[in-house]
């Protein structure tokens, strides 16, 4: 994940209050991930089983195959486990 | 017109709250605080106030309800003692963390076990680091005056912190005193109504109490550190404004005879009254003794205390609570830290007294002053922490 500069205590709203609604989408949880799903698009049959199983809605549908939204994918590996054609491999994240 | 009314400490706080346009009171009864909410519920019943009075099933719920109400922009009050304060413990931190300017009357009482209903400071000292501004009143008049001032202190934009007004259980809560009350209109214009900048409003949604992990939590705590530090200035300006309407002068600390004193006793709350009485009679006989009474315990008046001890040769700090296993007890630890930070070498004796409401007599205090005078001559402290009034 990018090393964005976060605001300091002098500028953030007091008391941990969030002043705009729906801001949870801005909270990129992808940096919790230890393993990243990599999809072999040649094997993927676009059955969408991974899309149904993903607990975080991080599988994105494309026309011929799926892809992963790495901003939110926490790397749980459920998609790889459920894939009937073994098109998803979990690869360790390295910095 | 201001009137002189006979009120107990509890009644005086309830009377002050009645005059302060409080929107919501959520509270649970506990001795010796009960009379505050009992008296206030009578005002509600009689239609003397427009306050929403919420009956709850525990102190944890009382403060939870207060936090919710405070976040809507309401002016909120509650009161408790001892076990009730302990049960509120987690909500105390949430109130200060969410920056809810709640005012709470705390009638100080010993903590169990063994069970005891009388006055000592172990309840509030147990919640010492909860991020609340903490005020200690010496008598019923001060309880009344500080309660009114507390709302303006709490709600000031520079503070936005909860405030506890502490009075000693039974010694003040149940003692009848002639209280110089202010006219309703004078209090009304002094406290006005709360004007919150950020409130819960369906038209302008916000999120309160969101998860705040390693990336932001520290920043929120740093803000609280600054807010409570800044609140000292707020307290002083509120004191000045209050003097204008009441003629009574308050401050961060109160002192007696400190100008030429060589020995002083530093203590909180009602004991300062007895101590001033003893100091006064000793001064008449030529002993150079004085009294230092912090009105404000948090934010801790470090600079004020260091300045007040400038000419002293010995200082006796009275603690009405124990910090078990610590080198000194809560108040004295803070005093010694302040002196150390200012690079002051002053002989200090820490005295634990009055636990579970045990009385401290003028003769005990005279004995302590005499011991302090001895230390000021010899420069030697034999027992840095001692206990007065306990049977061997």
């Amino acid at each position: 994940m990018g090393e964005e500069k976060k605001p300091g205590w002098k500028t953030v709203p007091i008391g941990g209050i969030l002043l705009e609604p729906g801001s949870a989408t801005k909270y990129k949880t992808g940096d919790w991930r230890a393993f990243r799903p990599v999809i072999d698009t040649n094997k993927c049959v676009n059955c969408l089983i991974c899309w149904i199983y993903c607990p975080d809605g991080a599988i994105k549908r494309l026309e011929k195959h799926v892809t992963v939204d790495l901003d939110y994918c926490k790397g749980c590996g459920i998609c790889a486990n459920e894939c009937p054609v073994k098109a998803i491999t979990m690869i360790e994240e390295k910095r | 017109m201001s009137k002189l009314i006979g009120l107990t400490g509890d009644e005086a706080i309830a009377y002050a709250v009645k005059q302060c346009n409080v929107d919501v009171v959520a509270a649970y009864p506990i001795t010796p605080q009960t009379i505050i909410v009992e008296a206030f519920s009578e005002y509600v019943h009689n239609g003397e106030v427009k306050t929403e009075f919420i009956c709850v099933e525990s102190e944890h719920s009382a403060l939870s309800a207060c936090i919710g109400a405070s976040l809507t922009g309401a002016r909120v009050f509650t009161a408790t003692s001892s076990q009730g304060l302990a049960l509120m413990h987690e909500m105390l931190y949430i109130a200060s963390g969410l920056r809810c300017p709640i005012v709470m009357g705390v009638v100080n009482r010993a903590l169990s076990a063994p069970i005891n209903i009388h006055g000592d400071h172990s309840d509030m000292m147990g919640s010492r680091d909860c991020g609340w501004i903490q005020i200690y009143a010496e008598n019923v008049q001060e309880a009344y005056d500080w309660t009114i001032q507390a709302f303006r202190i709490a709600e000031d934009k520079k503070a936005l912190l909860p405030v506890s007004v502490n009075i000693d259980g039974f010694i003040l809560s149940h003692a009848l005193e002639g209280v110089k009350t202010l006219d309703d209109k004078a209090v009304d214009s002094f406290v006005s109504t709360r004007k919150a900048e950020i409130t819960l409003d369906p038209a302008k949604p916000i999120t309160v109490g969101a998860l705040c992990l390693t990336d932001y939590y520290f920043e929120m705590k740093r803000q609280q550190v600054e807010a409570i530090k800044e609140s000292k200035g707020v307290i002083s300006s509120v004191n000045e404004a209050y003097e204008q309407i009441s003629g009574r002068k308050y401050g961060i600390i109160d002192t007696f005879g400190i100008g030429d004193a060589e020995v002083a006793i530093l203590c909180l709350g009602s004991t300062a009254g007895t101590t001033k009485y003893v100091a006064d009679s000793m001064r008449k006989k030529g002993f150079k003794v004085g009294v230092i009474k912090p009105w404000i315990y948090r934010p801790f008046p470090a600079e004020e205390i260091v300045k007040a001890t400038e000419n002293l040769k010995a200082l006796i700090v009275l603690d009405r609570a124990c910090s078990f296993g610590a080198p000194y007890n809560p108040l004295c630890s803070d005093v010694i830290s302040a002196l150390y930070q200012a690079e002051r070498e002053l002989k200090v004796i820490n005295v634990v007294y009055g636990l579970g409401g045990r009385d401290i007599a003028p003769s005990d205090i005279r004995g302590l002053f005499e011991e302090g005078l001895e230390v000021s001559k010899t420069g030697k402290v034999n027992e840095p922490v001692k206990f007065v009034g306990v049977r061997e």
Side-chain angles (χ1 to χ4, degrees):
Chain A
M1 299 296 289
E3 296 293 320
E4 53 161 332
K5 179 117 172 94
K6 292 189 173 73
W9 66 268
K10 290 178 185 170
T11 49
V12 284
I14 63 163
I17 289 169
L18 303 176
L19 296 170
E20 53 177 309
S23 59
T25 53
K26 289 187 180 171
Y27 187 26
K28 306 283 167 69
T29 48
D31 60 359
W32 300 12
R33 193 172 55 237
F35 288 91
R36 177 174 20 139
V38 175
I39 298 169
D40 183 343
T41 52
N42 293 323
K43 282 192 191 168
C44 177
V45 293
N46 217 10
C47 66
L48 301 184
I49 284 177
C50 59
W51 177 75
I52 292 165
Y53 271 93
C54 177
D56 238 317
I59 301 287
K60 297 283 165 215
R61 294 166 64 179
L62 298 177
E63 204 166 312
K64 292 197 172 139
H65 57 83
V66 293
T67 185
V68 182
D69 186 344
L70 292 171
D71 279 350
Y72 302 106
C73 168
K74 298 190 183 76
C76 68
I78 291 174
C79 56
N81 191 59
E82 297 298 332
C83 179
V85 295
K86 304 287 169 218
I88 306 175
T89 325
M90 299 304 290
I91 294 171
E92 194 175 353
E93 291 280 6
K94 280 179 188 156
R95 300 231 166 172
Chain B
M1 282 299 290
S2 63
K3 274 188 297 185
L4 184 70
I5 312 178
L7 294 169
T8 64
D10 279 358
E11 287 166 352
I13 290 178
Y15 193 86
V17 174
K18 176 183 126 173
Q19 294 181 304
C20 285
N21 304 320
V22 173
D23 300 301
V24 176
V25 170
Y28 192 80
I30 182 167
T31 300
Q33 167 279 127
T34 307
I35 304 162
I36 299 178
V37 286
E38 206 172 78
F40 194 80
S41 64
E42 262 182 53
Y43 297 141
V44 176
H45 176 80
N46 296 342
E48 292 176 66
V49 286
K50 291 183 196 138
T51 313
E52 181 77 32
F53 191 97
I54 309 173
C55 291
V56 285
E57 77 281 13
S58 76
E59 286 85 356
H60 190 280
S61 307
L63 193 52
S64 299
C66 287
I67 290 167
S70 182
L71 289 167
T72 68
R75 177 172 288 162
V76 182
F77 175 83
T78 187
T80 194
S81 284
S82 183
Q83 306 307 119
L85 186 69
L87 189 54
M88 282 180 179
H89 193 68
E90 73 166 342
M91 304 317 293
L92 292 175
Y93 285 74
I94 293 173
S96 59
L98 294 178
R99 309 295 292 277
C100 298
I102 297 163
V103 173
M104 173 158 67
V106 179
V107 182
N108 299 121
R109 166 187 147 180
L111 280 177
S112 296
I115 194 163
N116 177 298
I117 57 165
H118 291 281
D120 77 24
H121 295 156
S122 50
D123 53 1
M124 201 67 231
M125 288 301 166
S127 294
R128 190 182 55 168
D129 298 331
C130 64
W132 286 51
I133 293 169
Q134 296 170 34
I135 300 168
Y136 283 82
E138 179 187 320
N139 51 43
V140 177
Q141 182 70 56
E142 288 191 8
Y144 171 82
D145 290 332
W146 275 116
T147 303
I148 294 168
Q149 294 177 82
F151 287 101
R152 255 182 74 164
I153 295 166
E155 292 166 13
D156 191 290
K157 268 196 298 189
K158 280 188 214 134
L160 270 183
L161 287 169
V163 177
S164 70
V165 178
N166 292 263
I167 63 170
D168 286 323
F170 290 103
I171 300 168
L172 297 184
S173 65
H174 288 60
L176 195 68
E177 227 182 77
V179 180
K180 291 178 201 130
T181 60
L182 297 171
D183 181 58
D184 284 353
K185 275 188 192 148
V187 179
D188 184 81
S189 62
F190 181 76
V191 295
S192 182
T193 50
R194 185 179 162 203
K195 286 162 197 76
E197 283 189 358
I198 303 167
T199 60
L200 289 182
D201 174 5
K204 216 176 152 198
I206 57 165
T207 305
V208 171
L211 188 70
C212 199
L213 298 177
T214 50
D215 52 356
Y216 278 105
Y217 181 89
F218 203 170
E219 278 69 28
M220 302 307 152
K221 295 299 123 181
R222 181 67 185 84
Q223 287 177 337
Q224 280 177 252
V225 170
E226 200 65 13
I228 199 157
K229 204 167 103 189
E230 288 290 311
S231 74
K232 208 190 262 184
V234 173
I235 295 164
S236 296
S237 63
V238 170
N239 290 157
E240 278 168 33
Y242 193 72
E243 193 185 350
Q244 297 291 314
I245 63 159
S246 69
R248 291 185 288 277
K249 198 173 173 62
Y250 284 90
I252 306 294
I253 68 166
D254 183 22
T255 58
F256 177 81
I258 216 71
D260 65 347
E262 289 178 0
V263 175
I265 287 181
L266 187 150
C267 61
L268 297 171
S270 65
T271 308
T274 320
T275 310
K276 283 176 189 170
Y277 163 76
V278 174
D280 190 40
S281 66
M282 286 180 77
R283 288 177 68 82
K284 282 176 184 150
K285 288 174 192 154
F287 295 105
K288 290 182 174 173
V289 293
V291 180
I292 302 169
K293 176 190 74 178
W295 264 311
I296 311 297
Y297 178 62
R298 285 288 183 271
F300 191 70
E303 297 86 8
E304 291 80 359
I305 288 172
V306 167
K307 193 163 182 293
T309 57
E310 239 164 32
N311 301 320
L312 295 181
K313 289 180 180 155
L315 177 67
I316 300 152
V317 182
L318 302 189
D319 261 294
R320 203 165 197 160
C322 272
S323 182
F324 300 104
Y328 290 97
N329 296 286
L331 181 59
C332 193
S333 286
D334 289 326
V335 170
I336 287 180
S337 298
L339 294 171
Y340 184 84
Q341 202 170 44
E343 296 182 7
R344 284 284 312 283
E345 278 182 44
L346 176 64
K347 298 294 170 196
V348 177
I349 309 170
N350 186 197
V351 176
V352 177
Y353 77 101
L355 300 187
R358 172 116 354 135
D359 198 25
I360 183 157
S363 57
D364 296 322
I365 290 169
R366 193 169 299 117
L368 290 173
F369 271 132
E370 281 163 4
E371 195 175 325
L373 287 164
E374 190 62 27
V375 169
S376 76
K377 270 185 222 138
T378 60
K380 222 176 138 201
V381 177
N382 295 324
E383 235 183 322
V385 180
K386 52 184 290 174
F387 301 83
V388 163
V390 68
R391 292 185 299 275
E392 290 294 327

